[in-house]
Amino acid sequence: MKFFEPTQSKVLVIGDVMLDKYWHGSTDRISPEAPVPVVKVKAVEARAGGAANVALNIAALNAKAQIAGLVGDDNEAKELALLLDQHLVESVLVKAGSAPTISKLRIMSRHQQLLRLDQEEIFSLQDAKQVQSEIEPYLESAAVVVLSDYAKGTLQQTTALIAAARAKNCQVLVDPKGTDFSIYKGATLLTPNMAEFEAVVGACSDEETVVKRAFDLMREIQLDALLLTRSEKGVTLFMAEQDPVYFATNAQAVFDVTGAGDTVIATLASGLASGLSLPDSVEIANIAAGIAVSKLGTGTVSLIELNQAIEEYAGLENRKVLTESELINSLVRARSLGQKVVFTNGCFDILHPGHVSYLSHARKLGDKLIVAVNSDASVSRLKGPSRPINGLEHRMHVLGGLASVDWVVPFEEDTPARLIAALGPDVLVKGGDYSVDEIAGADSVIASGGTVKVLNFEDGYSTTGIIKAAHQSSLKS
């Protein structure tokens, strides 16, 4: 399971952008004019919705997001553009001939939606062609293109958009709408929910039918993959010439499903743009969806929230002894939180008070302390064939019991230079009487902007001394 890392690659979202407005207030009485509650408005909120919410979800994951869509020549368009700018989303909002910006006003009380007022008209074909013309230059730098279709008219040139994006080697992900999926021919991946899927392929009475019709649909409209979202059954990924991959739902509590599909396709696109495989991207997107449905209304999932959920999902949250790959994943979240990482290493054959004091001082230099431990073979090469006294698993387990130690990781080489370069700690600490140029890995830490510290061991303690004393005591007895 991989953690999510920010990417400099761009994701271009094209689709129906909207402005979601929320009026929040209390309801203490019924109107004397009609049998409806009276809402005393206390707060007004605006959010970017529709395809714009997909772009915001991408930006929340520290990916480069661009959005293209149709708006009206009105105040709602200006408000939407400002929201996108505030969230560092580059926007190409094309003004339609006469239609207004799509907006939805929700009247809320006690976290319940009482009423929704929509302002919208279907955009013209000429307006849709203008969007395609405007986005052509942006395809040159995009790694992934997302088509977010709400059937409001922006994506009336879908087939041409897909062809243009694929010609530029962009992966094209589509959140579909309607029952004519042929307009998405040639896309990389389609993300229908079960109701949308069955509306196109027919009712599926069993899993065998679902699988057969999914692959039939992929062949018919020339898809590389199909991601089927299935509510409480999670999601299923279909890829050509491969068995389906099933992912269980990760939702702990469903509060509001609004925008969950946006979160899935945004996370999926960001993962692919960052270089993750399609299955890994889907697994992470599924976790993000579990976070999204626990929130009210259209919202975003932050990089910190996502990596925390991944950590819990992977079972790493309370583990200290990790493999190198697990530790690299854990460092992604630490860095997303702005934490300073300290690294030290040693054999730690027999843990003594000098070690405990040294590790405590090392931990105070940052927010997280990594202790890298020489493997048994490495200790034997360095200390002689009679060492180590304690095996690697025993040594790592004891170190993991110290409050000052956050992570313990083994390494096979005589020095941790390669491991240090792979982890990129902010601070490298070595105990003893060394100059900086004598410390393995110091050059890579300094080159990446980190610091190297030398700490003195507490006098009177050494593993060799303890072993010698124990040997002499056994001879006397």
Side-chain angles (χ1 to χ4, degrees):
M1 183 63 177
K2 295 180 180 293
F3 279 6
F4 195 93
E5 296 189 69
T7 177
Q8 293 302 306
S9 298
K10 292 181 179 179
V11 179
L12 172 61
V13 182
I14 311 169
D16 297 306
V17 299
M18 305 175 191
L19 181 65
D20 286 328
K21 296 181 180 180
Y22 295 83
W23 287 6
H24 300 271
S26 58
T27 52
D28 300 320
R29 61 193 179 95
I30 299 299
S31 171
E33 303 166 0
V36 295
V38 174
V39 179
K40 186 177 181 180
V41 177
K42 295 183 177 179
V44 175
E45 181 184 7
R47 302 179 187 177
N53 185 52
V54 177
L56 257 60
N57 271 273
I58 293 167
L61 296 172
N62 288 8
K64 299 291 185 181
Q66 299 173 317
I67 177 71
L70 286 166
V71 294
D73 187 4
D74 48 33
N75 288 331
E76 285 78 10
K78 295 174 184 176
E79 194 170 358
L80 180 56
L82 181 60
L83 284 170
L84 292 167
D85 186 60
Q86 288 172 343
H87 289 86
L88 305 180
V89 175
E90 184 180 359
S91 61
V92 184
L93 301 180
V94 180
K95 291 182 180 179
S98 59
T101 300
I102 299 170
S103 64
K104 302 177 186 298
L105 171 60
R106 296 172 175 88
I107 312 299
M108 310 291 297
S109 183
R110 299 178 183 177
H111 300 298
Q112 296 294 320
Q113 185 178 146
L114 303 182
L115 182 67
R116 195 180 91 178
L117 306 175
D118 289 5
Q119 174 180 277
E120 66 176 65
E121 293 179 22
I122 300 298
F123 295 111
S124 70
L125 178 58
Q126 187 58 41
D127 291 331
K129 288 180 178 179
Q130 182 64 23
V131 172
Q132 182 177 354
S133 175
E134 292 283 349
I135 61 94
E136 287 287 347
Y138 293 87
L139 295 176
E140 295 289 345
S141 59
V144 179
V145 172
V146 175
L147 301 185
S148 183
D149 196 351
Y150 285 80
K152 306 300 183 184
T154 305
L155 293 175
Q156 296 181 60
Q157 296 290 99
T158 308
T159 306
L161 284 171
I162 292 172
R166 295 305 295 264
K168 300 294 184 181
N169 296 316
C170 300
Q171 299 184 75
V172 181
L173 313 184
V174 181
D175 187 2
K177 195 73 172 179
T179 57
D180 182 10
F181 282 5
S182 67
I183 63 174
Y184 307 122
K185 184 176 181 178
T188 305
L189 176 140
L190 220 61
T191 63
N193 60 38
M194 195 64 189
E196 292 168 333
F197 176 74
E198 289 190 311
V200 173
V201 304
C204 300
S205 58
D206 52 42
E207 189 61 25
E208 183 180 355
T209 305
V210 172
V211 172
K212 179 182 184 302
R213 291 182 179 174
F215 283 116
D216 286 346
L217 178 63
M218 288 171 59
R219 284 189 292 269
E220 181 183 343
I221 60 174
Q222 300 174 21
L223 301 176
D224 294 343
L226 178 77
L227 181 64
L228 185 58
T229 58
R230 312 175 70 176
S231 301
E232 72 279 357
K233 293 183 179 180
V235 298
T236 307
L237 175 63
F238 300 92
M239 295 179 288
E241 308 301 327
Q242 297 185 44
D243 291 334
V245 183
Y246 295 87
F247 300 89
T249 181
N250 283 282
Q252 299 300 309
V254 178
F255 192 72
D256 189 345
V257 298
T258 306
D262 295 344
T263 299
V264 168
I265 201 164
T267 310
L268 183 55
S270 301
L272 292 172
S274 70
L276 293 179
S277 68
L278 181 54
D280 283 342
S281 297
V282 170
E283 186 172 25
I284 292 174
N286 191 39
I287 293 172
I291 302 171
V293 297
S294 68
K295 299 183 177 185
L296 176 65
T298 54
T300 61
V301 175
S302 71
L303 182 63
I304 293 173
E305 287 178 311
L306 180 55
N307 279 332
Q308 182 176 356
I310 292 170
E311 187 176 51
E312 293 170 357
Y313 178 79
L316 300 178
E317 187 178 25
N318 298 312
R319 282 174 53 199
K320 288 190 174 183
V321 178
L322 305 177
T323 65
E324 182 177 334
S325 60
E326 289 173 336
L327 179 53
I328 288 172
N329 274 344
S330 292
L331 287 175
V332 173
R333 181 178 176 232
R335 291 189 173 109
S336 73
L337 294 170
Q339 294 176 328
K340 180 185 287 188
V341 177
V342 182
F343 178 102
T344 192
N345 66 279
C347 298
F348 299 100
D349 195 0
I350 297 177
L351 197 66
H352 54 66
H355 287 142
V356 176
S357 175
Y358 165 74
L359 293 173
S360 178
H361 283 89
R363 177 61 170 75
K364 292 175 181 177
L365 297 174
D367 303 300
K368 294 286 187 179
L369 175 62
I370 300 169
V371 179
V373 185
N374 296 73
S375 69
D376 292 345
S378 176
V379 174
S380 294
R381 291 193 299 270
L382 295 171
K383 303 293 186 179
S386 63
R387 300 280 296 276
I389 302 299
N390 294 299
L392 175 64
E393 294 300 322
H394 174 92
R395 290 181 284 130
M396 291 197 299
H397 180 73
V398 172
L399 285 165
L402 298 178
S404 60
V405 176
D406 295 286
W407 295 304
V408 184
V409 62
F411 66 96
E412 291 290 340
E413 302 89 344
D414 292 347
T415 78
R418 180 200 59 78
L419 180 61
I420 291 169
L423 300 179
D426 301 293
V427 183
L428 172 60
V429 180
K430 188 67 178 175
D433 185 17
Y434 291 92
S435 62
V436 170
D437 59 359
E438 293 176 313
I439 299 174
D443 53 348
S444 65
V445 172
I446 293 171
S448 62
T451 58
V452 180
K453 300 282 187 180
V454 178
L455 300 179
N456 292 325
F457 283 126
E458 190 170 331
D459 291 338
Y461 298 100
S462 76
T463 301
T464 301
I466 292 171
I467 293 172
K468 182 182 289 188
H471 179 64
Q472 289 175 346
S473 176
S474 66
L475 290 176
K476 289 178 182 179
S477 60

